[in-house]
Amino acid sequence: MERVLLSHGGGGTMMEKLIEEVFAKAFNNEYIDAMEDAALILGNLTFTTDSFTVKPLFFPGGDIGKLAVCGTVNDASMRGAKPLFLTSAFIIEEGFSLEELRKIVESMEDTAKKAGVKIVAGDTKVVEKGSVDKVFINTSGIGMVYEGANVSIKNARPGDVVLISGTIGDHGMAIMSAREELQFDPPILSDVSPLNKMIEKLMTLGKAVKVLRDPTRGGVAEVLYEISKMSGVGIKIYEDKLPVKESVKSACDLMGFDFLHLANEGKLIAVVDRKYAEEALEIMKSDKYGKDAAIIGEVNDSKLVTINTVYGTSRIIDRPIGELLPRIC
Amino acid sequence: MERVLLSHGGGGTMMEKLIEEVFAKAFNNEYIDAMEDAALILGNLTFTTDSFTVKPLFFPGGDIGKLAVCGTVNDASMRGAKPLFLTSAFIIEEGFSLEELRKIVESMEDTAKKAGVKIVAGDTKVVEKGSVDKVFINTSGIGMVYEGANVSIKNARPGDVVLISGTIGDHGMAIMSAREELQFDPPILSDVSPLNKMIEKLMTLGKAVKVLRDPTRGGVAEVLYEISKMSGVGIKIYEDKLPVKESVKSACDLMGFDFLHLANEGKLIAVVDRKYAEEALEIMKSDKYGKDAAIIGEVNDSKLVTINTVYGTSRIIDRPIGELLPRIC
């Protein structure tokens, strides 16, 4: 009998297959588009959902509550929309500490306030001990598309420029280090952050901003592949332009990970019209969460996703297949 | 250390306390109202969320997929709104059968089609074996309030009439019988159904429809208490008017349950202006899911929730405290 595997949740080709063959096939309507971060409804609203099962619940730089708010705030943002309202639904294991629950809920509200969104409705389920691992949270969100915005995973064109808003792989490595009790000096903190204010400023560039995407599960590599596939283009990035913390880079070398596959929770990849690339970079750099932003590559007509290495060679980037690390979000 | 108990998820006073002290306290804004089924946003839209952890996944009369769609369709409906769009988020245990997953997803789509709503976005997480019991689903929904509607848990007034759209306790007893492998002849089926089309017809009565509520966790008793509390009124119901299947009644007698505490997933309680009560009853009876509808009581100014028994006595209805039966939805 066919079974669901951990790799089906890993944000790579296995997950794409599961979504296409099971979910998108059944929920087949004019609104659903398995490859976009948000559905567009009622003209100019975005509607998204995301469940969070991160382990541990509290990790360096954040916690499941902060992650649950940022994740849904960022999903709306990546369609060129201003996130407005969130719901929050908790599934709690019997016996879970009420004090930890309060901490998580307060972290959600604190993050929502900072992002300028409101949590307007909720649901609470409690299940018997052993039926869920501590607490899982779902957040769903409504956003409003900015006037004049036209952001879609399908809009990249040869000649466009690819930017990233900061260092790569921080969240994935922070979770890994928390779970494996690895010590780094300085400690590696998750980048979990709400990106909606950066996007609000970016959207002043209007249609010059073509694609926005947050490289969560599957990392930067997966996002580049999705853009390539859905826009029907190739992408070349430059290794020497990629912002990566030294600590993350050494940890990756040590453990044999490719930082391009590590999850981020406070970064965005933008594909921008070449004429506006420098302006977009300046906007990112002026934002609290974008000071390490960089232009990292460009769109071409090759249909390949490649990297020019620091050794002067060029290679195809591996697309993630399955699960590098389960439950990073 | 204080801990979360199963009874905190049971839809009674313990859950009310958890919501008030933890969630509503933190998520304190002008939109959130812990006692309403749906938040009102952007003028005339409703926004709701609900997670489903029902056990077993397939039960007499339905499955978790059908339940997940009906639950959120009904939540929007109970604010006098037409449900339009749903999201669906799955948390799946590693090793879960792909065939069962397909069945659940197809049941969701089938129910959504029947209800006339669209599932427009989704999320899929897979967690390690033992971290979740098979599969949990969250659905969130957007609805549009009907022109002229003013439905709220706060709108009941002395003199109004209380109606129920059909037999009481079917879902709770169906789950119980499936879980305990009890055999009834005829079998007790869950009443899980989308009520939005019945509500669409009811809303032609405009402001005469004052309160709508689906008696899920905590059952009819809990809904009557919530109306009493939030509207500042009393409610009297009549035992001889309550529609209950003989099989459900005998099972309750046998097991010592009060059917007023059993969950329903395809029933609504309506508080209606007395002048329109008969008309509302006819509308319910003409609907596929309302043929056993009945006028069951009235609103008074006593602040008490009472029942006139078949023996001619009157007693206060017990408010549910905690968990009658975990994971019924």
Side-chain angles (χ1 to χ4, degrees):
Chain A
M1 187 172 57
E2 285 182 294
R3 299 205 170 270
V4 178
L5 308 174
L6 271 179
S7 52
H8 280 124
T13 53
M14 290 282 285
M15 184 158 115
E16 186 182 86
K17 196 164 165 273
L18 180 73
I19 290 173
E20 281 177 1
E21 289 180 8
V22 178
F23 296 101
K25 199 171 154 188
F27 306 152
N28 181 20
N29 59 55
E30 69 273 34
Y31 297 91
I32 211 160
D33 187 335
M35 298 304 288
E36 295 282 7
D37 271 347
L40 289 179
I41 58 169
L42 300 172
N44 65 343
L45 299 182
T46 61
F47 191 15
T48 66
T49 190
D50 216 342
S51 292
F52 297 87
T53 64
V54 69
K55 180 183 172 180
L57 296 173
F58 300 87
F59 49 81
D63 59 75
I64 189 172
K66 185 176 182 185
L67 187 62
V69 171
C70 292
T72 291
V73 160
N74 292 346
D75 275 349
S77 306
M78 298 305 144
R79 282 305 286 272
K82 182 186 179 76
L84 299 172
F85 302 104
L86 262 55
T87 57
S88 90
F90 280 70
I91 302 174
I92 310 169
E93 185 179 22
E94 176 188 14
F96 185 67
S97 149
L98 209 51
E99 192 190 325
E100 290 197 349
L101 182 65
R102 275 203 192 93
K103 264 193 213 159
I104 292 167
V105 170
E106 279 158 18
S107 172
M108 287 183 81
E109 176 61 13
D110 180 56
T111 311
K113 275 218 176 77
K114 282 179 182 148
V117 299
K118 296 202 152 120
I119 298 171
V120 297
D123 177 54
T124 313
K125 295 287 186 299
V126 183
V127 297
E128 329 87 276
K129 207 155 177 60
S131 290
V132 78
D133 187 9
K134 294 182 179 171
V135 61
F136 292 168
I137 303 175
N138 176 281
T139 51
S140 298
I142 293 291
M144 196 175 285
V145 176
Y146 287 106
E147 193 85 28
N150 179 24
V151 177
S152 164
I153 191 82
K154 294 164 187 151
N155 287 353
R157 295 291 172 270
D160 290 341
V161 168
V162 181
L163 297 94
I164 191 159
S165 64
T167 55
I168 296 171
D170 300 4
H171 178 73
M173 198 48 80
I175 295 295
M176 172 88 69
S177 64
R179 219 181 286 167
E180 306 295 330
E181 296 181 16
L182 304 174
Q183 306 285 339
F184 294 101
D185 187 25
I188 298 173
L189 302 183
S190 166
D191 58 340
V192 56
S193 336
L195 297 172
N196 54 323
K197 294 190 176 168
M198 187 194 296
I199 300 238
E200 181 161 12
K201 289 176 270 176
L202 273 177
M203 292 321 295
T204 60
L205 301 179
K207 292 183 177 46
V209 179
K210 298 182 164 190
V211 181
L212 292 170
R213 199 78 167 190
D214 51 342
T216 56
R217 280 182 288 177
V220 170
E222 177 64 15
V223 166
L224 297 179
Y225 268 95
E226 289 176 5
I227 297 171
S228 163
K229 178 178 172 174
M230 298 309 291
S231 292
V233 296
I235 296 173
K236 172 186 288 192
I237 61 169
Y238 299 91
E239 192 173 6
D240 60 356
K241 304 258 174 80
L242 298 177
V244 191
K245 289 199 172 89
E246 270 314 313
S247 52
V248 172
K249 207 181 272 181
S250 354
C252 278
D253 285 347
L254 208 72
M255 294 188 261
F257 286 132
D258 184 344
F259 54 74
L260 291 174
H261 289 182
L262 286 182
N264 310 270
E265 291 290 347
K267 297 294 151 49
L268 65 88
I269 286 176
V271 176
V272 176
D273 183 317
R274 180 170 293 272
K275 291 193 291 291
Y276 295 87
E278 287 297 334
E279 208 173 328
L281 182 65
E282 285 319 304
I283 290 172
M284 285 184 183
K285 279 177 175 287
S286 71
D287 187 88
K288 185 176 171 186
Y289 303 117
K291 61 185 196 330
D292 298 317
I295 291 174
I296 60 168
E298 62 236 354
V299 179
N300 57 43
D301 58 8
S302 74
K303 316 243 164 173
L304 300 174
V305 180
T306 57
I307 184 166
N308 274 22
T309 70
V310 288
Y311 308 108
T313 60
S314 173
R315 66 169 174 86
I316 288 176
I317 294 176
D318 292 327
R319 183 169 183 188
I321 296 166
E323 194 60 61
L324 185 64
L325 194 65
R327 296 179 58 186
I328 55 100
C329 64
Chain B
M1 186 172 57
E2 286 181 295
R3 299 205 170 270
V4 178
L5 308 174
L6 270 179
S7 52
H8 280 124
T13 52
M14 291 282 285
M15 184 158 115
E16 186 182 87
K17 195 164 166 271
L18 180 73
I19 290 173
E20 281 177 0
E21 290 181 7
V22 178
F23 296 101
K25 197 170 155 188
F27 304 153
N28 180 20
N29 59 55
E30 68 272 35
Y31 297 91
I32 211 160
D33 187 336
M35 298 305 287
E36 295 282 8
D37 271 346
L40 289 178
I41 58 169
L42 300 172
N44 65 343
L45 299 182
T46 61
F47 191 14
T48 66
T49 190
D50 215 343
S51 292
F52 297 86
T53 64
V54 69
K55 179 182 172 179
L57 296 174
F58 300 87
F59 49 80
D63 59 74
I64 190 172
K66 185 177 182 185
L67 186 63
V69 171
C70 291
T72 290
V73 161
N74 292 345
D75 275 349
S77 306
M78 299 306 145
R79 281 305 287 270
K82 182 187 180 75
L84 299 172
F85 302 104
L86 262 55
T87 57
S88 90
F90 280 70
I91 302 175
I92 310 169
E93 186 180 21
E94 176 188 13
F96 185 66
S97 150
L98 210 51
E99 192 191 325
E100 291 197 348
L101 182 65
R102 275 202 192 93
K103 265 193 213 160
I104 292 166
V105 170
E106 280 158 17
S107 172
M108 288 184 81
E109 176 60 13
D110 180 57
T111 311
K113 275 218 174 76
K114 283 179 184 150
V117 299
K118 295 200 153 125
I119 298 171
V120 297
D123 178 54
T124 312
K125 294 287 187 300
V126 183
V127 298
E128 331 85 275
K129 209 158 175 58
S131 291
V132 79
D133 187 8
K134 294 182 179 170
V135 61
F136 292 168
I137 303 175
N138 176 280
T139 51
S140 298
I142 293 292
M144 196 175 283
V145 176
Y146 287 106
E147 193 85 29
N150 180 22
V151 177
S152 164
I153 191 82
K154 294 164 188 151
N155 287 353
R157 294 292 172 269
D160 291 341
V161 168
V162 182
L163 297 94
I164 192 158
S165 64
T167 55
I168 296 170
D170 300 6
H171 178 74
M173 198 48 81
I175 295 295
M176 171 88 68
S177 64
R179 220 180 286 167
E180 305 296 330
E181 297 181 17
L182 305 173
Q183 306 286 338
F184 294 100
D185 186 24
I188 298 173
L189 302 183
S190 166
D191 57 340
V192 56
S193 336
L195 297 172
N196 53 324
K197 293 189 178 170
M198 187 193 297
I199 300 238
E200 181 161 12
K201 289 177 271 176
L202 273 178
M203 293 321 296
T204 60
L205 301 180
K207 291 184 177 47
V209 180
K210 298 182 164 190
V211 181
L212 292 170
R213 198 78 166 190
D214 51 343
T216 57
R217 281 181 289 176
V220 170
E222 176 64 17
V223 166
L224 297 179
Y225 268 95
E226 289 177 6
I227 297 171
S228 162
K229 178 177 172 175
M230 298 309 291
S231 291
V233 295
I235 296 174
K236 172 186 289 191
I237 61 169
Y238 299 90
E239 192 174 4
D240 60 356
K241 304 258 175 79
L242 299 177
V244 191
K245 290 201 173 85
E246 270 314 312
S247 51
V248 172
K249 207 180 271 178
S250 349
C252 277
D253 285 347
L254 208 72
M255 292 189 260
F257 286 132
D258 184 345
F259 54 74
L260 292 174
H261 290 182
L262 285 182
N264 311 269
E265 291 291 346
K267 297 295 151 46
L268 66 87
I269 287 177
V271 176
V272 177
D273 184 317
R274 181 170 292 271
K275 291 194 291 291
Y276 294 87
E278 286 297 336
E279 208 173 328
L281 182 65
E282 285 318 306
I283 289 172
M284 284 185 184
K285 278 177 174 288
S286 72
D287 187 87
K288 187 176 171 185
Y289 302 118
K291 62 185 196 329
D292 297 317
I295 291 174
I296 59 168
E298 63 235 355
V299 179
N300 58 43
D301 57 9
S302 75
K303 316 245 162 173
L304 300 174
V305 179
T306 58
I307 183 166
N308 275 23
T309 71
V310 288
Y311 309 107
T313 59
S314 173
R315 65 169 175 87
I316 287 176
I317 294 176
D318 293 326
R319 184 169 183 187
I321 296 166
E323 193 59 62
L324 185 64
L325 194 65
R327 295 180 58 188
I328 54 99
C329 63

